[in-house]
mmCIF file with all atom_site columns, all heavy atoms in Angstrom:
data_model
loop_
_atom_site.group_PDB
_atom_site.id
_atom_site.type_symbol
_atom_site.label_atom_id
_atom_site.label_alt_id
_atom_site.label_comp_id
_atom_site.label_asym_id
_atom_site.label_entity_id
_atom_site.label_seq_id
_atom_site.pdbx_PDB_ins_code
_atom_site.Cartn_x
_atom_site.Cartn_y
_atom_site.Cartn_z
_atom_site.occupancy
_atom_site.B_iso_or_equiv
_atom_site.pdbx_formal_charge
_atom_site.auth_seq_id
_atom_site.auth_comp_id
_atom_site.auth_asym_id
_atom_site.auth_atom_id
_atom_site.pdbx_PDB_model_num
ATOM 1   N N   . LEU A 1 131 ? -19.100 -13.443 51.806 1.00 0.00 ? 267 LEU A N   1
ATOM 2   C CA  . LEU A 1 131 ? -19.113 -13.165 50.406 1.00 0.00 ? 267 LEU A CA  1
ATOM 3   C C   . LEU A 1 131 ? -17.699 -12.756 49.973 1.00 0.00 ? 267 LEU A C   1
ATOM 4   O O   . LEU A 1 131 ? -17.034 -11.955 50.630 1.00 0.00 ? 267 LEU A O   1
ATOM 5   C CB  . LEU A 1 131 ? -20.050 -12.023 50.111 1.00 0.00 ? 267 LEU A CB  1
ATOM 6   C CG  . LEU A 1 131 ? -21.566 -12.285 50.220 1.00 0.00 ? 267 LEU A CG  1
ATOM 7   C CD1 . LEU A 1 131 ? -22.385 -10.979 50.064 1.00 0.00 ? 267 LEU A CD1 1
ATOM 8   C CD2 . LEU A 1 131 ? -22.003 -13.363 49.218 1.00 0.00 ? 267 LEU A CD2 1
ATOM 9   N N   . ARG A 1 132 ? -17.232 -13.284 48.853 1.00 0.00 ? 268 ARG A N   1
ATOM 10  C CA  . ARG A 1 132 ? -15.882 -12.941 48.302 1.00 0.00 ? 268 ARG A CA  1
ATOM 11  C C   . ARG A 1 132 ? -16.115 -12.309 46.959 1.00 0.00 ? 268 ARG A C   1
ATOM 12  O O   . ARG A 1 132 ? -16.553 -13.014 45.985 1.00 0.00 ? 268 ARG A O   1
ATOM 13  C CB  . ARG A 1 132 ? -15.039 -14.197 48.264 1.00 0.00 ? 268 ARG A CB  1
ATOM 14  C CG  . ARG A 1 132 ? -14.725 -14.773 49.607 1.00 0.00 ? 268 ARG A CG  1
ATOM 15  C CD  . ARG A 1 132 ? -13.727 -15.950 49.559 1.00 0.00 ? 268 ARG A CD  1
ATOM 16  N NE  . ARG A 1 132 ? -13.589 -16.603 50.834 1.00 0.00 ? 268 ARG A NE  1
ATOM 17  C CZ  . ARG A 1 132 ? -12.746 -16.134 51.831 1.00 0.00 ? 268 ARG A CZ  1
ATOM 18  N NH1 . ARG A 1 132 ? -11.970 -15.087 51.590 1.00 0.00 ? 268 ARG A NH1 1
ATOM 19  N NH2 . ARG A 1 132 ? -12.688 -16.764 52.952 1.00 0.00 ? 268 ARG A NH2 1
ATOM 20  N N   . PHE A 1 133 ? -15.708 -11.061 46.825 1.00 0.00 ? 269 PHE A N   1
ATOM 21  C CA  . PHE A 1 133 ? -15.711 -10.312 45.590 1.00 0.00 ? 269 PHE A CA  1
ATOM 22  C C   . PHE A 1 133 ? -14.376 -10.442 44.958 1.00 0.00 ? 269 PHE A C   1
ATOM 23  O O   . PHE A 1 133 ? -13.363 -10.022 45.482 1.00 0.00 ? 269 PHE A O   1
ATOM 24  C CB  . PHE A 1 133 ? -16.085 -8.893  45.810 1.00 0.00 ? 269 PHE A CB  1
ATOM 25  C CG  . PHE A 1 133 ? -17.540 -8.611  46.232 1.00 0.00 ? 269 PHE A CG  1
ATOM 26  C CD1 . PHE A 1 133 ? -17.935 -8.889  47.455 1.00 0.00 ? 269 PHE A CD1 1
ATOM 27  C CD2 . PHE A 1 133 ? -18.422 -8.163  45.262 1.00 0.00 ? 269 PHE A CD2 1
ATOM 28  C CE1 . PHE A 1 133 ? -19.230 -8.650  47.870 1.00 0.00 ? 269 PHE A CE1 1
ATOM 29  C CE2 . PHE A 1 133 ? -19.792 -7.945  45.617 1.00 0.00 ? 269 PHE A CE2 1
ATOM 30  C CZ  . PHE A 1 133 ? -20.132 -8.158  46.960 1.00 0.00 ? 269 PHE A CZ  1
ATOM 31  N N   . MET A 1 134 ? -14.335 -10.986 43.717 1.00 0.00 ? 270 MET A N   1
ATOM 32  C CA  . MET A 1 134 ? -13.031 -11.207 43.029 1.00 0.00 ? 270 MET A CA  1
ATOM 33  C C   . MET A 1 134 ? -13.074 -10.510 41.670 1.00 0.00 ? 270 MET A C   1
ATOM 34  O O   . MET A 1 134 ? -13.987 -10.696 40.928 1.00 0.00 ? 270 MET A O   1
ATOM 35  C CB  . MET A 1 134 ? -12.813 -12.732 42.894 1.00 0.00 ? 270 MET A CB  1
ATOM 36  C CG  . MET A 1 134 ? -12.967 -13.475 44.163 1.00 0.00 ? 270 MET A CG  1
ATOM 37  S SD  . MET A 1 134 ? -13.031 -15.309 43.924 1.00 0.00 ? 270 MET A SD  1
ATOM 38  C CE  . MET A 1 134 ? -11.437 -15.577 43.201 1.00 0.00 ? 270 MET A CE  1
ATOM 39  N N   . LYS A 1 135 ? -12.020 -9.766  41.384 1.00 0.00 ? 271 LYS A N   1
ATOM 40  C CA  . LYS A 1 135 ? -11.936 -9.072  40.111 1.00 0.00 ? 271 LYS A CA  1
ATOM 41  C C   . LYS A 1 135 ? -10.707 -9.572  39.380 1.00 0.00 ? 271 LYS A C   1
ATOM 42  O O   . LYS A 1 135 ? -9.578  -9.573  39.930 1.00 0.00 ? 271 LYS A O   1
ATOM 43  C CB  . LYS A 1 135 ? -11.819 -7.576  40.307 1.00 0.00 ? 271 LYS A CB  1
ATOM 44  C CG  . LYS A 1 135 ? -11.839 -6.759  38.997 1.00 0.00 ? 271 LYS A CG  1
ATOM 45  C CD  . LYS A 1 135 ? -11.845 -5.281  39.279 1.00 0.00 ? 271 LYS A CD  1
ATOM 46  C CE  . LYS A 1 135 ? -11.923 -4.464  37.986 1.00 0.00 ? 271 LYS A CE  1
ATOM 47  N NZ  . LYS A 1 135 ? -11.984 -3.016  38.209 1.00 0.00 ? 271 LYS A NZ  1
ATOM 48  N N   . PHE A 1 136 ? -10.922 -9.958  38.085 1.00 0.00 ? 272 PHE A N   1
ATOM 49  C CA  . PHE A 1 136 ? -9.767  -10.490 37.314 1.00 0.00 ? 272 PHE A CA  1
ATOM 50  C C   . PHE A 1 136 ? -9.202  -9.440  36.369 1.00 0.00 ? 272 PHE A C   1
ATOM 51  O O   . PHE A 1 136 ? -9.963  -8.669  35.728 1.00 0.00 ? 272 PHE A O   1
ATOM 52  C CB  . PHE A 1 136 ? -10.312 -11.660 36.443 1.00 0.00 ? 272 PHE A CB  1
ATOM 53  C CG  . PHE A 1 136 ? -9.299  -12.222 35.494 1.00 0.00 ? 272 PHE A CG  1
ATOM 54  C CD1 . PHE A 1 136 ? -8.225  -12.967 35.987 1.00 0.00 ? 272 PHE A CD1 1
ATOM 55  C CD2 . PHE A 1 136 ? -9.412  -11.979 34.165 1.00 0.00 ? 272 PHE A CD2 1
ATOM 56  C CE1 . PHE A 1 136 ? -7.300  -13.483 35.089 1.00 0.00 ? 272 PHE A CE1 1
ATOM 57  C CE2 . PHE A 1 136 ? -8.463  -12.474 33.231 1.00 0.00 ? 272 PHE A CE2 1
ATOM 58  C CZ  . PHE A 1 136 ? -7.387  -13.235 33.692 1.00 0.00 ? 272 PHE A CZ  1
ATOM 59  N N   . ASP A 1 137 ? -7.911  -9.245  36.379 1.00 0.00 ? 273 ASP A N   1
ATOM 60  C CA  . ASP A 1 137 ? -7.209  -8.341  35.494 1.00 0.00 ? 273 ASP A CA  1
ATOM 61  C C   . ASP A 1 137 ? -6.725  -9.162  34.253 1.00 0.00 ? 273 ASP A C   1
ATOM 62  O O   . ASP A 1 137 ? -5.777  -9.891  34.298 1.00 0.00 ? 273 ASP A O   1
ATOM 63  C CB  . ASP A 1 137 ? -6.018  -7.785  36.243 1.00 0.00 ? 273 ASP A CB  1
ATOM 64  C CG  . ASP A 1 137 ? -5.405  -6.588  35.411 1.00 0.00 ? 273 ASP A CG  1
ATOM 65  O OD1 . ASP A 1 137 ? -5.430  -6.621  34.160 1.00 0.00 ? 273 ASP A OD1 1
ATOM 66  O OD2 . ASP A 1 137 ? -4.880  -5.652  36.069 1.00 0.00 ? 273 ASP A OD2 1
ATOM 67  N N   . SER A 1 138 ? -7.440  -8.918  33.106 1.00 0.00 ? 274 SER A N   1
ATOM 68  C CA  . SER A 1 138 ? -7.125  -9.655  31.901 1.00 0.00 ? 274 SER A CA  1
ATOM 69  C C   . SER A 1 138 ? -5.751  -9.296  31.315 1.00 0.00 ? 274 SER A C   1
ATOM 70  O O   . SER A 1 138 ? -5.111  -10.073 30.725 1.00 0.00 ? 274 SER A O   1
ATOM 71  C CB  . SER A 1 138 ? -8.237  -9.414  30.868 1.00 0.00 ? 274 SER A CB  1
ATOM 72  O OG  . SER A 1 138 ? -8.358  -8.061  30.548 1.00 0.00 ? 274 SER A OG  1
ATOM 73  N N   . SER A 1 139 ? -5.295  -8.075  31.561 1.00 0.00 ? 275 SER A N   1
ATOM 74  C CA  . SER A 1 139 ? -4.014  -7.699  30.975 1.00 0.00 ? 275 SER A CA  1
ATOM 75  C C   . SER A 1 139 ? -2.851  -8.328  31.754 1.00 0.00 ? 275 SER A C   1
ATOM 76  O O   . SER A 1 139 ? -1.802  -8.603  31.094 1.00 0.00 ? 275 SER A O   1
ATOM 77  C CB  . SER A 1 139 ? -3.847  -6.147  31.080 1.00 0.00 ? 275 SER A CB  1
ATOM 78  O OG  . SER A 1 139 ? -3.950  -5.746  32.401 1.00 0.00 ? 275 SER A OG  1
ATOM 79  N N   . LEU A 1 140 ? -3.045  -8.641  33.018 1.00 0.00 ? 276 LEU A N   1
ATOM 80  C CA  . LEU A 1 140 ? -1.986  -9.254  33.805 1.00 0.00 ? 276 LEU A CA  1
ATOM 81  C C   . LEU A 1 140 ? -2.201  -10.759 33.933 1.00 0.00 ? 276 LEU A C   1
ATOM 82  O O   . LEU A 1 140 ? -1.294  -11.461 34.312 1.00 0.00 ? 276 LEU A O   1
ATOM 83  C CB  . LEU A 1 140 ? -1.939  -8.674  35.175 1.00 0.00 ? 276 LEU A CB  1
ATOM 84  C CG  . LEU A 1 140 ? -1.643  -7.151  35.269 1.00 0.00 ? 276 LEU A CG  1
ATOM 85  C CD1 . LEU A 1 140 ? -1.624  -6.707  36.685 1.00 0.00 ? 276 LEU A CD1 1
ATOM 86  C CD2 . LEU A 1 140 ? -0.281  -6.829  34.623 1.00 0.00 ? 276 LEU A CD2 1
ATOM 87  N N   . GLY A 1 141 ? -3.408  -11.234 33.617 1.00 0.00 ? 277 GLY A N   1
ATOM 88  C CA  . GLY A 1 141 ? -3.676  -12.645 33.702 1.00 0.00 ? 277 GLY A CA  1
ATOM 89  C C   . GLY A 1 141 ? -3.684  -13.216 35.109 1.00 0.00 ? 277 GLY A C   1
ATOM 90  O O   . GLY A 1 141 ? -3.319  -14.350 35.412 1.00 0.00 ? 277 GLY A O   1
ATOM 91  N N   . ARG A 1 142 ? -4.236  -12.423 36.027 1.00 0.00 ? 278 ARG A N   1
ATOM 92  C CA  . ARG A 1 142 ? -4.243  -12.801 37.426 1.00 0.00 ? 278 ARG A CA  1
ATOM 93  C C   . ARG A 1 142 ? -5.445  -12.064 38.138 1.00 0.00 ? 278 ARG A C   1
ATOM 94  O O   . ARG A 1 142 ? -6.006  -11.158 37.563 1.00 0.00 ? 278 ARG A O   1
ATOM 95  C CB  . ARG A 1 142 ? -2.993  -12.484 38.191 1.00 0.00 ? 278 ARG A CB  1
ATOM 96  C CG  . ARG A 1 142 ? -2.648  -10.963 38.214 1.00 0.00 ? 278 ARG A CG  1
ATOM 97  C CD  . ARG A 1 142 ? -1.361  -10.785 39.021 1.00 0.00 ? 278 ARG A CD  1
ATOM 98  N NE  . ARG A 1 142 ? -0.918  -9.423  38.955 1.00 0.00 ? 278 ARG A NE  1
ATOM 99  C CZ  . ARG A 1 142 ? -1.404  -8.429  39.758 1.00 0.00 ? 278 ARG A CZ  1
ATOM 100 N NH1 . ARG A 1 142 ? -2.421  -8.678  40.551 1.00 0.00 ? 278 ARG A NH1 1
ATOM 101 N NH2 . ARG A 1 142 ? -0.955  -7.167  39.635 1.00 0.00 ? 278 ARG A NH2 1
#
Side-chain angles (χ1 to χ4, degrees):
L267 291 173
R268 298 186 184 275
F269 289 78
M270 309 167 62
K271 185 175 183 180
F272 175 72
D273 190 328
S274 59
S275 61
L276 300 177
R278 61 177 175 80

